[in-house]
Amino acid sequence: MNTGREIVFVVARAQDGTIGQNGQVPWKIREDLRHFVALTQGTPMIMGRKTFESLPGLLKGRRHIVLTRDREWRAEGAEVAHSPEQAMDIAGKGTISIIGGAEIYDLFLPCASRIELTEIHEETGGDTKMDAPGPDWREIARQHHPAEGKNPAFSFVTLERST
């Protein structure tokens, strides 16, 4: 894969590793949604088919590159790729946002340069999990937000590859 560009994971993850439940994000935290928009605005987003189908619609100001094994799959507004290399070629030069799901994160982890992680401080018990970033990642920024109303406490964490 071409790694001559910044490949950024944008992901929200609960303490138990949950990133999804029944094809949806299991929490709706307004600040996290704003953070997601700010991080992905103007970048091509690479995602799996299930992630694309879970979106409320096409997200303005971003390209939607969908990586799928299904050679027949098409959707309005989606640019379809069948391999990580093809997805990156379609994305072109510049920063690329990887937005999920778990299999897509696994495929792109070897070439990711930064992780923008929203740590959800709860045990969610979802059906889609992602491992915590390993020892080859170092935290360079953290902004904590306490629990408020129905929202659990969460932190915005930026990690960079250390090796």
Side-chain angles (χ1 to χ4, degrees), residues 22-92:
N22 296 324
Q24 299 292 318
V25 175
W27 43 81
K28 300 286 187 249
I29 302 171
R30 181 171 295 162
E31 293 89 349
D32 182 46
L33 294 173
R34 284 189 197 128
H35 189 61
F36 175 86
V37 169
L39 291 168
T40 60
Q41 193 68 40
T43 69
M45 300 181 305
I46 297 176
M47 67 200 83
R49 179 191 49 81
K50 291 178 190 175
T51 297
F52 178 82
E53 290 174 350
S54 76
L55 296 175
L58 294 176
L59 305 179
K60 290 183 183 180
R62 290 154 278 191
R63 292 172 53 208
H64 299 68
I65 301 169
V66 179
L67 182 55
T68 178
R69 289 182 285 269
D70 183 347
R71 297 275 175 187
E72 304 301 315
W73 187 86
R74 301 281 181 271
E76 187 174 333
E79 298 174 70
V80 180
H82 301 292
S83 72
E85 295 82 7
Q86 184 183 21
M88 289 179 56
D89 286 345
I90 291 170

Side-chain angles (χ1 to χ4, degrees), residues 73-127:
W73 187 86
R74 301 281 181 271
E76 187 174 333
E79 298 174 70
V80 180
H82 301 292
S83 72
E85 295 82 7
Q86 184 183 21
M88 289 179 56
D89 286 345
I90 291 170
K93 297 183 184 217
T95 300
I96 299 171
S97 297
I98 308 296
I99 67 165
E103 288 181 55
I104 302 305
Y105 289 129
D106 286 344
L107 286 170
F108 284 92
L109 187 60
C111 59
S113 50
R114 183 165 42 105
I115 299 173
E116 293 292 346
L117 173 65
T118 301
E119 285 183 347
I120 308 296
H121 301 296
E122 72 174 11
E123 301 284 325
T124 304
D127 57 16

